[in-house]
Amino acid sequence: MRYLPHTDSEVQDMLSAVGAGSLEDLFSPISKDCRRTSALNLPDPMTEWELDSHMQALAENMGPSQKALSFLGAGSYDHHIPASLKHLVSRSEFYTAYTPYQPEVSQGTLQAIFEYQTLASRLLGLEVSNASMYDGASALAEALLMSLRIAKKKSAVALSTAIHPHYRQVVRTYLQPMGFEIVEIPWGPDGRTDLSGLDREDLAAVAVQSPNIFGCVEDLAGASQKVHDLQALFITAFTEPLAYGLLPSPGSQGADIACGEGQSLGIAQSFGGPGLGMFCTLKKYMRNLPGRVVGQTQDDQGNRGFVLTLATREQHIRREKATSNICSNQGLCATMAAMYLASVGGSGLRELARLNRDKAEYAKQALASAGCSLPFAAPTFNEFVVRLPRDAEEVFARCAEQGVVPGLPLGRFYPGLEDHLLICATETKSKQDLDTLVKEVAS
């Protein structure tokens, strides 16, 4: 898109039209502590070829993931993306379609969203899915807000500290300015959330992630019983939905809301996004669902069609009645996830999940045999934690020099775990790759 700045006279004309004497008058309703008063620290203007060179130099400062042997997971996972998906999603009717503001003339977009919703509901074992959200972290924050709307008079929620630290940070950003209380629940010796001390009955919801940030598979059925005894909603978050190709779905374990990141389902890592916020719940909570829902119907001639069934957003209804201020779904990413799930199918998803579990187990046992210890006894999927005989940041730096990203040092998020490393192994890693990891980490 070309950048066409307005002339001074055009700016004055616009200011006159709204009754403002200057730009300062126009911006005066904005609090001064929310406004930047100094100029941005930007370099001098460049020619187009100078800018190309500058951007190339910046890019060369980074280590592209394709050139490194990476075992980094922690919310973003390296999975094989079928070539068919790349071809299909690049079709212009998918690539250019935007949010269906005129849904009745966007039947293709609505059908794609409807099919995504159907597959998401089946994967997570719940009755209703929305049309997606920004990412897993914002989906969790919206799930907690939804629970507070349902509970009405309650103003506190509980979060497991084994939920991804970035997700908890986003939750705090959403909830604390609104005056809601956030209770943090510790993890136990086995790496899973310890709910034994949770006895408050003023909680609107309790959120647990499975597999959690340590890769440990939570006892969702047991947690569900405990949370429902407290008259609270049970929310399960996830960063790795592929796990539910092998593990029981959150809905079958008693979850009221399941939400998380769908990047694993055919979306490239592209550290930093875009992501796909998945969000499913029970039918009885549908009218409190954030975002939008696409439904199936028939026209007056009996032909199958699709409609925007629920869209309780501020663009459609009064702001104070909106269930979310999310202004756009992740249509293209949701379409990619639907294509991915349809491509691999149910049996393919189970086989893929089993392959992930087996490769991670191989790496885990090989590292244990090489002298690393396994601090958590809970079962894992494709991610696990090892305790090293030295600082994990040192090991990370040494391995990186050899072109191996060995995982995520946990000390930067959890003080006391400075010698712990979170490692991920997916179907993309060969036995030789895993042996290289063990050699570099244990040396």
Side-chain angles (χ1 to χ4, degrees):
M1 178 182 294
R2 296 177 64 195
Y3 176 59
L4 300 172
H6 301 296
T7 64
D8 290 342
S9 62
E10 289 171 334
V11 171
Q12 285 304 319
D13 288 344
M14 288 188 283
L15 289 172
S16 298
V18 298
S22 66
L23 286 173
E24 183 62 29
D25 290 342
L26 181 66
F27 297 135
S28 60
I30 302 174
S31 173
K32 289 187 176 179
D33 59 356
C34 293
R35 296 167 58 184
R36 186 184 183 93
T37 56
S38 59
L40 292 172
N41 182 22
L42 297 173
D44 293 333
M46 301 179 192
T47 63
E48 187 171 335
W49 54 88
E50 287 174 335
L51 184 59
D52 282 344
S53 299
H54 177 66
M55 297 302 290
Q56 184 64 34
L58 290 177
E60 289 174 354
N61 286 331
M62 296 184 289
S65 59
Q66 294 87 346
K67 293 185 177 180
L69 182 57
S70 175
F71 296 88
L72 191 60
S76 181
Y77 300 92
D78 181 23
H79 291 297
H80 173 70
I81 299 175
S84 58
L85 192 153
K86 296 177 183 176
H87 174 73
L88 289 171
V89 82
S90 63
R91 290 178 62 96
S92 59
E93 57 267 47
F94 292 125
Y95 221 75
T96 59
Y98 184 53
T99 294
Y101 282 111
Q102 294 178 301
E104 68 278 6
V105 296
S106 304
Q107 285 295 300
T109 299
L110 291 182
Q111 181 174 351
I113 292 174
F114 178 82
E115 294 188 5
Y116 160 76
Q117 291 173 181
T118 303
L119 292 165
S121 294
R122 289 178 181 173
L123 180 66
L124 300 178
L126 286 160
E127 296 167 319
V128 182
S129 166
N130 72 7
S132 77
M133 313 197 83
Y134 292 144
D135 53 24
S138 57
L140 175 58
E142 291 281 354
L144 291 163
L145 288 175
M146 176 174 154
S147 71
L148 289 160
R149 286 195 298 274
I150 294 171
K152 294 182 179 176
K153 294 183 179 179
K154 295 182 178 179
S155 60
V157 297
L159 290 180
S160 165
T161 49
I163 290 178
H164 195 296
H166 289 168
Y167 285 32
R168 289 186 282 122
Q169 188 175 5
V170 170
V171 168
R172 287 193 291 271
T173 302
Y174 269 63
L175 268 63
Q176 285 183 337
M178 301 172 73
F180 295 123
E181 182 185 1
I182 300 172
V183 178
E184 296 217 328
I185 314 167
W187 73 81
D190 65 350
R192 295 190 284 196
T193 303
D194 181 6
L195 291 165
S196 61
L198 191 65
D199 58 1
R200 295 178 52 156
E201 296 184 352
D202 61 341
L203 298 172
V206 177
V208 171
Q209 177 183 326
S210 184
N212 64 28
I213 185 62
F214 306 127
C216 297
V217 178
E218 297 275 2
D219 175 14
L220 293 183
S224 170
Q225 182 66 48
K226 169 72 175 178
V227 173
H228 287 145
D229 287 346
L230 296 173
Q231 304 297 310
L233 293 186
F234 181 44
I235 298 173
T236 64
F238 54 85
T239 59
E240 177 51 292
L242 196 68
Y244 295 117
L246 193 62
L247 304 175
S249 67
S252 70
Q253 302 298 291
D256 297 296
I257 302 172
C259 56
E261 177 57 54
Q263 175 268 322
S264 285
L265 307 178
I267 302 168
Q269 281 188 289
S270 303
F271 291 106
L276 170 66
M278 302 181 74
F279 197 114
C280 291
T281 188
L282 298 168
K283 192 174 181 179
K284 62 182 177 181
Y285 300 130
M286 183 168 60
R287 291 196 174 276
N288 284 285
L289 194 69
R292 54 168 72 82
V293 176
V294 172
Q296 179 178 263
T297 187
Q298 290 183 338
D299 65 14
D300 58 3
Q301 297 177 350
N303 298 314
R304 186 192 192 205
F306 300 91
V307 294
L308 205 56
T309 305
L310 287 175
T312 48
R313 304 177 310 123
E314 59 195 27
Q315 288 92 339
H316 301 287
I317 63 174
R318 285 182 296 160
R319 178 183 293 269
E320 64 273 19
K321 296 290 185 183
T323 55
S324 170
N325 63 4
I326 291 271
C327 61
S328 179
N329 67 0
Q330 294 288 72
L332 186 63
C333 292
T335 303
M336 294 169 72
M339 290 175 174
Y340 180 86
L341 289 169
S343 296
V344 300
S347 57
L349 196 69
R350 281 192 295 275
E351 183 62 27
L352 196 56
R354 188 174 293 111
L355 196 57
N356 273 249
R357 191 270 317 271
D358 291 350
K359 294 208 172 190
E361 282 298 313
Y362 174 84
K364 186 200 294 185
Q365 299 308 323
L367 283 163
S369 299
C372 300
S373 60
L374 304 175
F376 303 132
T380 58
F381 176 57
N382 65 3
E383 235 171 342
F384 58 92
V385 174
V386 295
R387 183 188 294 123
L388 307 171
R390 59 184 71 85
D391 187 273
E393 294 282 359
E394 293 178 20
V395 174
F396 181 93
R398 178 171 51 75
C399 291
E401 290 178 357
Q402 303 302 316
V404 176
V405 180
L408 178 71
L410 287 172
R412 61 185 71 174
F413 298 111
Y414 294 98
L417 299 185
E418 283 77 11
D419 54 352
H420 289 58
L421 191 65
L422 178 67
I423 296 174
C424 177
T426 69
E427 78 279 4
T428 62
K429 299 297 179 289
S430 65
K431 179 177 181 299
Q432 183 180 359
D433 293 335
L434 299 174
D435 290 340
T436 300
L437 167 73
V438 175
K439 176 185 174 185
E440 293 296 335
V441 169
S443 63

mmCIF file of all heavy atoms in Angstrom, residues 267-310:
data_model
loop_
_atom_site.group_PDB
_atom_site.id
_atom_site.type_symbol
_atom_site.label_atom_id
_atom_site.label_comp_id
_atom_site.label_asym_id
_atom_site.label_seq_id
_atom_site.Cartn_x
_atom_site.Cartn_y
_atom_site.Cartn_z
ATOM 1 N N ILE A 267 0.165 -24.611 10.979
ATOM 2 C CA ILE A 267 0.601 -23.213 10.908
ATOM 3 C C ILE A 267 2.099 -23.153 11.228
ATOM 4 O O ILE A 267 2.540 -23.729 12.218
ATOM 5 C CB ILE A 267 -0.194 -22.346 11.899
ATOM 6 C CG1 ILE A 267 -1.697 -22.459 11.594
ATOM 7 C CG2 ILE A 267 0.258 -20.891 11.838
ATOM 8 C CD1 ILE A 267 -2.587 -21.874 12.666
ATOM 9 N N ALA A 268 2.854 -22.468 10.379
ATOM 10 C CA ALA A 268 4.310 -22.393 10.580
ATOM 11 C C ALA A 268 4.627 -21.693 11.892
ATOM 12 O O ALA A 268 3.853 -20.854 12.362
ATOM 13 C CB ALA A 268 4.944 -21.645 9.417
ATOM 14 N N GLN A 269 5.787 -22.041 12.464
ATOM 15 C CA GLN A 269 6.140 -21.462 13.758
ATOM 16 C C GLN A 269 6.223 -19.935 13.693
ATOM 17 O O GLN A 269 5.592 -19.242 14.465
ATOM 18 C CB GLN A 269 7.462 -22.041 14.251
ATOM 19 C CG GLN A 269 7.324 -23.433 14.854
ATOM 20 C CD GLN A 269 8.607 -23.895 15.503
ATOM 21 O OE1 GLN A 269 9.571 -24.188 14.808
ATOM 22 N NE2 GLN A 269 8.632 -23.982 16.803
ATOM 23 N N SER A 270 7.018 -19.416 12.797
ATOM 24 C CA SER A 270 7.126 -17.959 12.635
ATOM 25 C C SER A 270 7.154 -17.271 13.996
ATOM 26 O O SER A 270 6.313 -16.423 14.276
ATOM 27 C CB SER A 270 5.946 -17.421 11.825
ATOM 28 O OG SER A 270 5.863 -18.048 10.582
ATOM 29 N N PHE A 271 8.102 -17.652 14.823
ATOM 30 C CA PHE A 271 8.131 -17.177 16.213
ATOM 31 C C PHE A 271 7.659 -15.728 16.301
ATOM 32 O O PHE A 271 8.289 -14.809 15.800
ATOM 33 C CB PHE A 271 9.537 -17.286 16.784
ATOM 34 C CG PHE A 271 9.960 -18.715 16.967
ATOM 35 C CD1 PHE A 271 10.882 -19.289 16.107
ATOM 36 C CD2 PHE A 271 9.438 -19.474 17.994
ATOM 37 C CE1 PHE A 271 11.272 -20.600 16.279
ATOM 38 C CE2 PHE A 271 9.832 -20.789 18.168
ATOM 39 C CZ PHE A 271 10.744 -21.360 17.311
ATOM 40 N N GLY A 272 6.547 -15.537 16.978
ATOM 41 C CA GLY A 272 5.950 -14.210 17.075
ATOM 42 C C GLY A 272 4.601 -14.146 16.385
ATOM 43 O O GLY A 272 3.879 -13.161 16.520
ATOM 44 N N GLY A 273 4.252 -15.151 15.659
ATOM 45 C CA GLY A 273 2.902 -15.202 15.113
ATOM 46 C C GLY A 273 2.840 -15.118 13.605
ATOM 47 O O GLY A 273 3.871 -15.045 12.963
ATOM 48 N N PRO A 274 1.612 -15.205 13.050
ATOM 49 C CA PRO A 274 0.335 -15.234 13.770
ATOM 50 C C PRO A 274 0.048 -16.588 14.388
ATOM 51 O O PRO A 274 0.565 -17.603 13.952
ATOM 52 C CB PRO A 274 -0.687 -14.931 12.665
ATOM 53 C CG PRO A 274 -0.062 -15.512 11.431
ATOM 54 C CD PRO A 274 1.418 -15.259 11.591
ATOM 55 N N GLY A 275 -0.792 -16.567 15.424
ATOM 56 C CA GLY A 275 -1.220 -17.795 16.067
ATOM 57 C C GLY A 275 -2.694 -18.021 15.808
ATOM 58 O O GLY A 275 -3.329 -17.327 15.000
ATOM 59 N N LEU A 276 -3.238 -19.014 16.504
ATOM 60 C CA LEU A 276 -4.653 -19.357 16.357
ATOM 61 C C LEU A 276 -5.209 -19.660 17.740
ATOM 62 O O LEU A 276 -4.814 -20.642 18.363
ATOM 63 C CB LEU A 276 -4.817 -20.583 15.446
ATOM 64 C CG LEU A 276 -6.215 -21.194 15.393
ATOM 65 C CD1 LEU A 276 -7.201 -20.226 14.750
ATOM 66 C CD2 LEU A 276 -6.196 -22.518 14.636
ATOM 67 N N GLY A 277 -6.075 -18.800 18.223
ATOM 68 C CA GLY A 277 -6.696 -19.035 19.518
ATOM 69 C C GLY A 277 -7.910 -19.937 19.382
ATOM 70 O O GLY A 277 -8.902 -19.567 18.764
ATOM 71 N N MET A 278 -7.806 -21.149 19.930
ATOM 72 C CA MET A 278 -8.926 -22.095 19.874
ATOM 73 C C MET A 278 -9.769 -21.926 21.139
ATOM 74 O O MET A 278 -9.227 -21.684 22.228
ATOM 75 C CB MET A 278 -8.408 -23.532 19.752
ATOM 76 C CG MET A 278 -7.516 -23.745 18.536
ATOM 77 S SD MET A 278 -6.929 -25.457 18.381
ATOM 78 C CE MET A 278 -8.423 -26.283 17.837
ATOM 79 N N PHE A 279 -11.083 -22.095 20.997
ATOM 80 C CA PHE A 279 -11.965 -21.833 22.144
ATOM 81 C C PHE A 279 -13.223 -22.665 21.988
ATOM 82 O O PHE A 279 -14.002 -22.468 21.061
ATOM 83 C CB PHE A 279 -12.328 -20.346 22.181
ATOM 84 C CG PHE A 279 -12.882 -19.868 23.498
ATOM 85 C CD1 PHE A 279 -12.173 -18.961 24.271
ATOM 86 C CD2 PHE A 279 -14.111 -20.304 23.959
ATOM 87 C CE1 PHE A 279 -12.674 -18.515 25.485
ATOM 88 C CE2 PHE A 279 -14.620 -19.864 25.174
ATOM 89 C CZ PHE A 279 -13.910 -18.956 25.938
ATOM 90 N N CYS A 280 -13.435 -23.618 22.890
ATOM 91 C CA CYS A 280 -14.631 -24.465 22.862
ATOM 92 C C CYS A 280 -15.266 -24.491 24.242
ATOM 93 O O CYS A 280 -14.586 -24.356 25.261
ATOM 94 C CB CYS A 280 -14.269 -25.895 22.452
ATOM 95 S SG CYS A 280 -13.765 -26.074 20.736
ATOM 96 N N THR A 281 -16.575 -24.694 24.269
ATOM 97 C CA THR A 281 -17.283 -24.759 25.547
ATOM 98 C C THR A 281 -18.535 -25.609 25.393
ATOM 99 O O THR A 281 -18.789 -26.187 24.331
ATOM 100 C CB THR A 281 -17.630 -23.343 26.050
ATOM 101 O OG1 THR A 281 -18.143 -23.423 27.376
ATOM 102 C CG2 THR A 281 -18.673 -22.688 25.152
ATOM 103 N N LEU A 282 -19.317 -25.664 26.462
ATOM 104 C CA LEU A 282 -20.582 -26.402 26.446
ATOM 105 C C LEU A 282 -21.685 -25.532 25.853
ATOM 106 O O LEU A 282 -21.648 -24.306 25.962
ATOM 107 C CB LEU A 282 -20.949 -26.831 27.868
ATOM 108 C CG LEU A 282 -19.963 -27.782 28.552
ATOM 109 C CD1 LEU A 282 -20.281 -27.904 30.034
ATOM 110 C CD2 LEU A 282 -19.996 -29.155 27.890
ATOM 111 N N LYS A 283 -22.695 -26.179 25.293
ATOM 112 C CA LYS A 283 -23.777 -25.446 24.634
ATOM 113 C C LYS A 283 -24.487 -24.499 25.598
ATOM 114 O O LYS A 283 -24.922 -23.411 25.218
ATOM 115 C CB LYS A 283 -24.768 -26.441 24.027
ATOM 116 C CG LYS A 283 -25.769 -25.813 23.082
ATOM 117 C CD LYS A 283 -26.612 -26.881 22.415
ATOM 118 C CE LYS A 283 -27.608 -26.244 21.441
ATOM 119 N NZ LYS A 283 -28.426 -27.301 20.778
ATOM 120 N N LYS A 284 -24.613 -24.897 26.866
ATOM 121 C CA LYS A 284 -25.352 -24.060 27.818
ATOM 122 C C LYS A 284 -24.658 -22.726 28.096
ATOM 123 O O LYS A 284 -25.276 -21.805 28.623
ATOM 124 C CB LYS A 284 -25.579 -24.812 29.132
ATOM 125 C CG LYS A 284 -24.317 -25.206 29.874
ATOM 126 C CD LYS A 284 -24.670 -25.986 31.139
ATOM 127 C CE LYS A 284 -23.430 -26.467 31.873
ATOM 128 N NZ LYS A 284 -23.779 -27.234 33.093
ATOM 129 N N TYR A 285 -23.370 -22.633 27.734
ATOM 130 C CA TYR A 285 -22.643 -21.369 27.931
ATOM 131 C C TYR A 285 -22.478 -20.586 26.628
ATOM 132 O O TYR A 285 -21.748 -19.591 26.579
ATOM 133 C CB TYR A 285 -21.262 -21.643 28.535
ATOM 134 C CG TYR A 285 -21.311 -22.345 29.877
ATOM 135 C CD1 TYR A 285 -20.547 -23.481 30.106
ATOM 136 C CD2 TYR A 285 -22.110 -21.869 30.900
ATOM 137 C CE1 TYR A 285 -20.591 -24.133 31.336
ATOM 138 C CE2 TYR A 285 -22.157 -22.514 32.134
ATOM 139 C CZ TYR A 285 -21.400 -23.634 32.340
ATOM 140 O OH TYR A 285 -21.442 -24.270 33.556
ATOM 141 N N MET A 286 -23.135 -21.043 25.564
ATOM 142 C CA MET A 286 -22.882 -20.497 24.234
ATOM 143 C C MET A 286 -23.111 -18.991 24.151
ATOM 144 O O MET A 286 -22.372 -18.274 23.479
ATOM 145 C CB MET A 286 -23.764 -21.218 23.211
ATOM 146 C CG MET A 286 -23.553 -20.811 21.777
ATOM 147 S SD MET A 286 -24.361 -21.942 20.631
ATOM 148 C CE MET A 286 -26.073 -21.776 21.146
ATOM 149 N N ARG A 287 -24.112 -18.484 24.842
ATOM 150 C CA ARG A 287 -24.427 -17.062 24.726
ATOM 151 C C ARG A 287 -23.451 -16.180 25.487
ATOM 152 O O ARG A 287 -23.536 -14.957 25.425
ATOM 153 C CB ARG A 287 -25.865 -16.804 25.176
ATOM 154 C CG ARG A 287 -26.873 -17.390 24.203
ATOM 155 C CD ARG A 287 -28.266 -16.855 24.390
ATOM 156 N NE ARG A 287 -29.135 -17.349 23.335
ATOM 157 C CZ ARG A 287 -29.243 -16.800 22.134
ATOM 158 N NH1 ARG A 287 -28.552 -15.719 21.842
ATOM 159 N NH2 ARG A 287 -30.036 -17.322 21.213
ATOM 160 N N ASN A 288 -22.551 -16.784 26.225
ATOM 161 C CA ASN A 288 -21.479 -16.011 26.866
ATOM 162 C C ASN A 288 -20.154 -16.166 26.123
ATOM 163 O O ASN A 288 -19.126 -15.671 26.577
ATOM 164 C CB ASN A 288 -21.302 -16.487 28.308
ATOM 165 C CG ASN A 288 -22.393 -15.969 29.210
ATOM 166 O OD1 ASN A 288 -22.389 -14.797 29.579
ATOM 167 N ND2 ASN A 288 -23.342 -16.810 29.550
ATOM 168 N N LEU A 289 -20.211 -16.850 24.993
ATOM 169 C CA LEU A 289 -18.989 -17.133 24.228
ATOM 170 C C LEU A 289 -18.447 -15.852 23.587
ATOM 171 O O LEU A 289 -19.198 -15.106 22.970
ATOM 172 C CB LEU A 289 -19.333 -18.150 23.135
ATOM 173 C CG LEU A 289 -18.192 -18.863 22.412
ATOM 174 C CD1 LEU A 289 -17.499 -19.829 23.356
ATOM 175 C CD2 LEU A 289 -18.754 -19.633 21.215
ATOM 176 N N PRO A 290 -17.154 -15.568 23.727
ATOM 177 C CA PRO A 290 -16.596 -14.404 23.026
ATOM 178 C C PRO A 290 -16.433 -14.699 21.535
ATOM 179 O O PRO A 290 -16.363 -15.854 21.119
ATOM 180 C CB PRO A 290 -15.235 -14.214 23.697
ATOM 181 C CG PRO A 290 -14.853 -15.583 24.144
ATOM 182 C CD PRO A 290 -16.152 -16.263 24.535
ATOM 183 N N GLY A 291 -16.375 -13.656 20.745
ATOM 184 C CA GLY A 291 -16.157 -13.840 19.305
ATOM 185 C C GLY A 291 -17.454 -14.167 18.598
ATOM 186 O O GLY A 291 -18.533 -13.726 18.984
ATOM 187 N N ARG A 292 -17.363 -14.973 17.559
ATOM 188 C CA ARG A 292 -18.528 -15.277 16.731
ATOM 189 C C ARG A 292 -18.631 -16.775 16.461
ATOM 190 O O ARG A 292 -17.650 -17.506 16.539
ATOM 191 C CB ARG A 292 -18.441 -14.523 15.402
ATOM 192 C CG ARG A 292 -17.156 -14.745 14.647
ATOM 193 C CD ARG A 292 -17.245 -14.221 13.231
ATOM 194 N NE ARG A 292 -17.253 -12.782 13.101
ATOM 195 C CZ ARG A 292 -16.162 -12.010 13.119
ATOM 196 N NH1 ARG A 292 -14.974 -12.555 13.298
ATOM 197 N NH2 ARG A 292 -16.240 -10.717 12.964
ATOM 198 N N VAL A 293 -19.878 -17.187 16.142
ATOM 199 C CA VAL A 293 -20.157 -18.587 15.815
ATOM 200 C C VAL A 293 -20.866 -18.632 14.473
ATOM 201 O O VAL A 293 -21.815 -17.875 14.239
ATOM 202 C CB VAL A 293 -21.042 -19.244 16.890
ATOM 203 C CG1 VAL A 293 -21.404 -20.670 16.482
ATOM 204 C CG2 VAL A 293 -20.333 -19.253 18.240
ATOM 205 N N VAL A 294 -20.420 -19.510 13.600
ATOM 206 C CA VAL A 294 -21.074 -19.716 12.308
ATOM 207 C C VAL A 294 -21.941 -20.964 12.399
ATOM 208 O O VAL A 294 -21.511 -21.991 12.914
ATOM 209 C CB VAL A 294 -20.030 -19.867 11.183
ATOM 210 C CG1 VAL A 294 -20.701 -20.287 9.874
ATOM 211 C CG2 VAL A 294 -19.267 -18.565 10.993
ATOM 212 N N GLY A 295 -23.187 -20.863 11.923
ATOM 213 C CA GLY A 295 -24.107 -21.988 11.961
ATOM 214 C C GLY A 295 -24.524 -22.420 10.568
ATOM 215 O O GLY A 295 -24.313 -21.708 9.584
ATOM 216 N N GLN A 296 -25.127 -23.599 10.502
ATOM 217 C CA GLN A 296 -25.604 -24.141 9.231
ATOM 218 C C GLN A 296 -27.124 -24.005 9.165
ATOM 219 O O GLN A 296 -27.811 -24.214 10.164
ATOM 220 C CB GLN A 296 -25.201 -25.612 9.138
ATOM 221 C CG GLN A 296 -25.649 -26.305 7.864
ATOM 222 C CD GLN A 296 -25.178 -27.751 7.822
ATOM 223 O OE1 GLN A 296 -24.165 -28.066 7.213
ATOM 224 N NE2 GLN A 296 -25.900 -28.630 8.498
ATOM 225 N N THR A 297 -27.649 -23.687 7.982
ATOM 226 C CA THR A 297 -29.091 -23.524 7.840
ATOM 227 C C THR A 297 -29.515 -23.920 6.425
ATOM 228 O O THR A 297 -28.720 -24.506 5.673
ATOM 229 C CB THR A 297 -29.482 -22.059 8.136
ATOM 230 O OG1 THR A 297 -30.904 -21.957 8.147
ATOM 231 C CG2 THR A 297 -28.897 -21.114 7.107
ATOM 232 N N GLN A 298 -30.755 -23.582 6.058
ATOM 233 C CA GLN A 298 -31.265 -23.807 4.702
ATOM 234 C C GLN A 298 -31.918 -22.527 4.212
ATOM 235 O O GLN A 298 -32.507 -21.775 4.996
ATOM 236 C CB GLN A 298 -32.297 -24.937 4.684
ATOM 237 C CG GLN A 298 -31.720 -26.316 4.936
ATOM 238 C CD GLN A 298 -32.790 -27.401 4.833
ATOM 239 O OE1 GLN A 298 -33.976 -27.138 4.975
ATOM 240 N NE2 GLN A 298 -32.352 -28.620 4.556
ATOM 241 N N ASP A 299 -31.807 -22.271 2.908
ATOM 242 C CA ASP A 299 -32.517 -21.104 2.366
ATOM 243 C C ASP A 299 -33.966 -21.492 2.054
ATOM 244 O O ASP A 299 -34.389 -22.620 2.329
ATOM 245 C CB ASP A 299 -31.785 -20.549 1.140
ATOM 246 C CG ASP A 299 -31.758 -21.526 -0.037
ATOM 247 O OD1 ASP A 299 -32.511 -22.515 -0.014
ATOM 248 O OD2 ASP A 299 -30.966 -21.302 -0.968
ATOM 249 N N ASP A 300 -34.725 -20.545 1.487
ATOM 250 C CA ASP A 300 -36.159 -20.800 1.278
ATOM 251 C C ASP A 300 -36.418 -21.857 0.205
ATOM 252 O O ASP A 300 -37.557 -22.270 0.002
ATOM 253 C CB ASP A 300 -36.891 -19.503 0.941
ATOM 254 C CG ASP A 300 -36.316 -18.825 -0.288
ATOM 255 O OD1 ASP A 300 -35.384 -19.384 -0.908
ATOM 256 O OD2 ASP A 300 -36.781 -17.714 -0.630
ATOM 257 N N GLN A 301 -35.346 -22.292 -0.478
ATOM 258 C CA GLN A 301 -35.495 -23.359 -1.464
ATOM 259 C C GLN A 301 -34.897 -24.678 -0.967
ATOM 260 O O GLN A 301 -34.750 -25.632 -1.735
ATOM 261 C CB GLN A 301 -34.825 -22.952 -2.786
ATOM 262 C CG GLN A 301 -35.488 -21.712 -3.403
ATOM 263 C CD GLN A 301 -34.785 -21.266 -4.675
ATOM 264 O OE1 GLN A 301 -33.705 -21.758 -5.006
ATOM 265 N NE2 GLN A 301 -35.398 -20.323 -5.373
ATOM 266 N N GLY A 302 -34.541 -24.707 0.301
ATOM 267 C CA GLY A 302 -34.027 -25.936 0.889
ATOM 268 C C GLY A 302 -32.552 -26.191 0.644
ATOM 269 O O GLY A 302 -32.045 -27.272 0.966
ATOM 270 N N ASN A 303 -31.834 -25.191 0.104
ATOM 271 C CA ASN A 303 -30.408 -25.379 -0.148
ATOM 272 C C ASN A 303 -29.602 -25.144 1.129
ATOM 273 O O ASN A 303 -29.937 -24.258 1.930
ATOM 274 C CB ASN A 303 -29.929 -24.402 -1.234
ATOM 275 C CG ASN A 303 -30.619 -24.647 -2.552
ATOM 276 O OD1 ASN A 303 -30.729 -25.790 -2.994
ATOM 277 N ND2 ASN A 303 -31.115 -23.585 -3.173
ATOM 278 N N ARG A 304 -28.542 -25.928 1.291
ATOM 279 C CA ARG A 304 -27.668 -25.776 2.457
ATOM 280 C C ARG A 304 -26.963 -24.415 2.409
ATOM 281 O O ARG A 304 -26.487 -23.988 1.354
ATOM 282 C CB ARG A 304 -26.629 -26.894 2.458
ATOM 283 C CG ARG A 304 -25.733 -26.938 3.693
ATOM 284 C CD ARG A 304 -24.568 -27.881 3.427
ATOM 285 N NE ARG A 304 -23.824 -28.196 4.618
ATOM 286 C CZ ARG A 304 -22.546 -28.580 4.622
ATOM 287 N NH1 ARG A 304 -21.893 -28.695 3.470
ATOM 288 N NH2 ARG A 304 -21.934 -28.874 5.745
ATOM 289 N N GLY A 305 -26.922 -23.756 3.538
ATOM 290 C CA GLY A 305 -26.242 -22.459 3.609
ATOM 291 C C GLY A 305 -25.662 -22.228 4.990
ATOM 292 O O GLY A 305 -25.882 -23.024 5.916
ATOM 293 N N PHE A 306 -24.898 -21.153 5.132
ATOM 294 C CA PHE A 306 -24.220 -20.862 6.397
ATOM 295 C C PHE A 306 -24.501 -19.416 6.800
ATOM 296 O O PHE A 306 -24.579 -18.526 5.947
ATOM 297 C CB PHE A 306 -22.711 -21.107 6.265
ATOM 298 C CG PHE A 306 -22.394 -22.531 5.898
ATOM 299 C CD1 PHE A 306 -22.276 -22.903 4.563
ATOM 300 C CD2 PHE A 306 -22.282 -23.505 6.876
ATOM 301 C CE1 PHE A 306 -22.020 -24.213 4.212
ATOM 302 C CE2 PHE A 306 -22.031 -24.821 6.530
ATOM 303 C CZ PHE A 306 -21.892 -25.183 5.203
ATOM 304 N N VAL A 307 -24.647 -19.208 8.096
ATOM 305 C CA VAL A 307 -24.983 -17.880 8.610
ATOM 306 C C VAL A 307 -24.128 -17.561 9.830
ATOM 307 O O VAL A 307 -23.632 -18.468 10.503
ATOM 308 C CB VAL A 307 -26.471 -17.801 9.021
ATOM 309 C CG1 VAL A 307 -27.369 -17.928 7.803
ATOM 310 C CG2 VAL A 307 -26.791 -18.883 10.048
ATOM 311 N N LEU A 308 -23.988 -16.287 10.080
ATOM 312 C CA LEU A 308 -23.313 -15.865 11.303
ATOM 313 C C LEU A 308 -24.354 -15.941 12.419
ATOM 314 O O LEU A 308 -25.201 -15.068 12.564
ATOM 315 C CB LEU A 308 -22.785 -14.432 11.123
ATOM 316 C CG LEU A 308 -21.590 -14.025 11.977
ATOM 317 C CD1 LEU A 308 -20.430 -14.971 11.785
ATOM 318 C CD2 LEU A 308 -21.183 -12.601 11.638
ATOM 319 N N THR A 309 -24.290 -17.042 13.185
ATOM 320 C CA THR A 309 -25.347 -17.335 14.151
ATOM 321 C C THR A 309 -25.269 -16.435 15.374
ATOM 322 O O THR A 309 -26.251 -15.852 15.805
ATOM 323 C CB THR A 309 -25.244 -18.812 14.603
ATOM 324 O OG1 THR A 309 -25.276 -19.631 13.443
ATOM 325 C CG2 THR A 309 -26.393 -19.179 15.513
ATOM 326 N N LEU A 310 -24.086 -16.322 15.948
ATOM 327 C CA LEU A 310 -23.891 -15.483 17.125
ATOM 328 C C LEU A 310 -22.679 -14.586 16.898
ATOM 329 O O LEU A 310 -21.630 -15.059 16.474
ATOM 330 C CB LEU A 310 -23.653 -16.351 18.371
ATOM 331 C CG LEU A 310 -24.872 -17.092 18.932
ATOM 332 C CD1 LEU A 310 -24.443 -17.989 20.083
ATOM 333 C CD2 LEU A 310 -25.922 -16.097 19.414
#
